[in-house]
């Protein structure tokens, strides 16, 4: 054990810790799929040599007088965090989705370091490694980096080396535009001493943070945004969640469609997701004419040159999805225009500042703020680029990577997009009481992507 002095959680990490609720666990879940069995002993050694070299994975959170800090766990044992289980018959994707759903609905033990790995054996001829990590430790980008720190470029790796630093999140260096976000956070923190009413008055927050007119407008837009309409995707949450994921789509096929119409990979995939949500609602007998549903989209605020760290370093933008548009091309071009309008907005930086401010609120005030922002969206949607080439873990090539982020703000729908080794997959996580069949959304996504492929010539492929 390092015997380090207890380290206070950053304000943003504290906010995510406090958002934990039995019906909405703040847990990032990742899945690595292999075509061959993994050596449990080699996996254990890899985790011991690499993951446990980071102090954070031997620490637990202790909250005293309302302040949460990372403490070394004097009783730490890897046996409490690395588990070996067999996949029930018939050991196919449906059985795997059932098991992932069960674990996604099961809270982590917060009296220990808040992470677990599960080696799921007998998945066909191979196996699956499922990672669960509390959001107070890291966001989706950081989780991917954690998983990648365990991997190698070949089956026979060089000596293990760490790629992630565990320095305190608030002490990590910032470069522009991250410096602007840090200034926003510091100013927002100071306002908490003046009371919650300061956050509800955009002019005061803008003045104190010295954000300028554009950021004041972005904050006003966030606070004054109307609630999202009620659909099958919104409602009271239960404990049980359901996970599903798509078959792979060739990344080059997505790029080819995008080149033909001057759209990005993200534009094409979000258009297919929007069409899938439309199809699902229509199948449930709901009216979609003129319907727009907002997605809370995390935006990575780490500088490309910034040392990789754990913790949460992202803001949010609220993207209106044109679910009511009947024509797939209209949806695509509308989404493209809306995305371009948001790219120059400081909304993500402002949202990061608000998240940090929430970490200083009392639990009751944070609940009010979470509900306020949760009402403004229907889903959380993420898009994380993974490695371009096949990578290896414990000597075995990884065939698939998928992950799901928690639906913060009491939302019941999460959509994750991840690219890896030339392929793209879609993951969907839902509250069973609202959407018991996320597989239907996944199937509709494939239908929408194929439709876009037929409608848009791909001469530039």
């Amino acid at each position: 054990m390092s015997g380090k002095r207890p380290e206070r959680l950053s304000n943003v990490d504290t906010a995510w810790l406090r958002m934990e609720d039995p019906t909405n666990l703040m847990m990032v879940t990742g899945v690595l799929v292999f075509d061959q069995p993994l050596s449990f002993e080699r996996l254990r050694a890899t985790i011991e040599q690499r993951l446990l070299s980071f102090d954070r994975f031997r620490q637990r959170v202790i909250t005293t007088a309302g302040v949460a800090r990372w403490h070394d766990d004097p009783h730490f044992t890897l046996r409490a965090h690395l588990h070996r289980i067999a996949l029930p018959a018939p050991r196919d994707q449906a059985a795997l989705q059932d098991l992932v759903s069960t674990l996604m609905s099961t809270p982590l033990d917060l009296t220990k370091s808040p992470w677990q790995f599960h080696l799921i054996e007998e998945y066909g001829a191979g196996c699956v490694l499922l990672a669960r990590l509390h959001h107070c430790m890291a966001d989706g980008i950081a989780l991917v980096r954690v998983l990648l720190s365990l991997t190698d470029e070949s089956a026979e790796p060089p000596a293990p080396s760490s790629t992630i630093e565990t320095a305190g999140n608030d002490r990590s260096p910032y470069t522009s535009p991250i410096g602007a976000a840090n200034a926003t956070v510091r100013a927002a923190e100071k306002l908490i001493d003046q009371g919650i009413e300061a956050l509800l008055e955009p002019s005061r927050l803008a003045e104190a943070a010295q954000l300028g007119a554009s950021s004041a407008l972005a904050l006003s837009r966030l606070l004054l945004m109307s609630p999202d309409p009620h659909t099958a995707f919104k409602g009271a949450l239960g404990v049980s969640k359901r996970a599903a994921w798509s078959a792979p789509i060739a990344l080059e096929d997505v790029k080819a469609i995008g080149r033909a119409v001057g759209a990005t990979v993200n534009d094409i995939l979000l258009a297919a997701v929007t069409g899938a949500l439309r199809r699902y609602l229509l199948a449930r007998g709901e009216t979609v004419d003129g319907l727009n549903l907002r997605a809370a989209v995390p935006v990575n605020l780490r500088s490309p040159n910034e040392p990789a760290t754990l913790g949460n370093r992202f803001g949010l933008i609220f993207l209106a999805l044109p679910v009511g548009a009947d024509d797939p091309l209209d949806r695509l071009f509308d989404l493209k225009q809306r995305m371009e309008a948001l790219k120059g907005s400081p909304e993500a930086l402002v949202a990061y500042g608000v998240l940090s401010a929430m970490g200083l609120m009392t639990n009751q005030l944070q609940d009010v703020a979470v509900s306020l922002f949760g009402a403004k969206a229907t889903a959380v949607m993420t898009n994380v680029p993974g490695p371009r080439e096949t990578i290896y873990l414990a000597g075995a090539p990884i065939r698939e990577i998928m992950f799901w982020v928690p639906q913060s703000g009491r939302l019941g729908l999460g959509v994750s997009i991840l690219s890896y080794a030339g392929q793209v997959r879609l993951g969907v996580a839902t509250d069973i009481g609202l959407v018991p069949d996320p597989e239907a959304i996944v199937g509709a996504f494939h239908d929408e992507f194929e439709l876009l492929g037929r409608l848009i010539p791909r001469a530039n492929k």
Side-chain angles (χ1 to χ4, degrees), residues 25-33 93 96-97 100-101 104 128-133 135 139-140 143-144 242-246 380 382 384 400-407 413-418 425-430 438 442:
L25 302 177
M26 292 296 102
M27 183 170 59
V28 185
T29 304
V31 167
L32 307 180
V33 180
Q93 180 163 329
L96 179 59
Q97 288 184 168
V100 172
S101 300
M104 182 183 289
V128 174
L129 182 64
L130 183 144
R132 299 192 299 148
L133 189 75
H135 216 316
D139 53 37
L143 172 61
V144 171
R242 179 74 182 169
W245 57 95
S246 72
V380 175
T382 63
V384 176
E400 301 176 23
I401 302 178
M402 195 62 248
F403 81 107
W404 299 264
V405 295
Q407 288 72 68
L413 174 63
V415 177
S416 304
I417 299 170
L418 187 137
R425 283 181 171 81
L426 176 82
V428 179
T430 61
V442 170

Side-chain angles (χ1 to χ4, degrees), residues 103-261:
L103 292 172
M104 182 183 289
S105 307
T106 305
L108 291 162
D109 183 354
L110 296 184
T111 66
K112 301 180 174 64
S113 192
W115 63 275
Q116 284 190 340
F117 280 14
H118 303 262
L119 179 60
I120 304 170
E121 299 179 317
E122 299 182 18
Y123 178 47
C127 64
V128 174
L129 182 64
L130 183 144
R132 299 192 299 148
L133 189 75
H134 199 282
H135 216 316
C136 72
M137 294 187 75
D139 53 37
I141 290 285
L143 172 61
V144 171
R145 290 179 173 180
V146 166
L147 295 177
L148 294 183
S149 74
L150 301 175
T151 67
D152 304 287
E153 296 180 353
S154 67
E156 296 301 326
S161 61
S162 298
T163 60
I164 295 182
E165 297 182 359
T166 55
N169 299 321
D170 288 334
R171 296 195 296 270
S172 299
Y174 282 86
T175 57
S176 182
I178 308 302
N182 206 21
T184 303
V185 170
R186 288 196 298 269
E189 290 169 356
K190 292 177 182 177
L191 282 178
I192 298 303
D193 294 333
Q194 304 173 28
I196 185 63
E197 67 276 3
L199 282 178
L200 302 179
E201 188 177 336
S203 61
R204 291 184 64 192
L205 181 56
E207 179 183 359
Q210 298 179 347
L211 296 176
S214 62
S215 292
L217 288 173
L219 183 59
S220 297
R221 178 178 179 269
L222 285 176
L223 295 178
L224 300 177
M225 194 180 290
S226 62
D228 240 13
H230 180 78
T231 66
F233 303 126
K234 288 184 74 71
L237 303 181
V239 171
S240 298
K241 311 301 175 185
R242 179 74 182 169
W245 57 95
S246 72
I249 293 175
L251 181 58
E252 182 52 39
D253 287 346
V254 184
K255 291 180 177 179
I257 294 175
R259 284 194 297 266
V261 293

Side-chain angles (χ1 to χ4, degrees), residues 351-367:
Y352 182 81
V354 173
L355 280 171
S356 182
M358 286 167 58
L360 290 172
M361 296 177 184
T362 64
N363 288 348
Q364 292 82 0
L365 286 178
Q366 179 169 323
D367 285 343

Side-chain angles (χ1 to χ4, degrees), residues 71-86:
H71 290 252
D72 289 341
D73 183 355
H75 306 295
F76 178 85
T77 171
L78 184 54
R79 290 192 300 274
H81 300 271
L82 177 59
H83 305 278
R84 186 178 188 179
I85 56 180

Side-chain angles (χ1 to χ4, degrees), residues 6-27:
E7 179 183 338
R8 184 168 179 166
L9 272 69
S10 75
N11 297 327
V12 176
D13 295 347
T14 298
W16 288 109
L17 176 67
R18 290 178 177 175
M19 286 187 210
E20 178 84 3
D21 183 88
T23 66
N24 203 356
L25 302 177
M26 292 296 102
M27 183 170 59

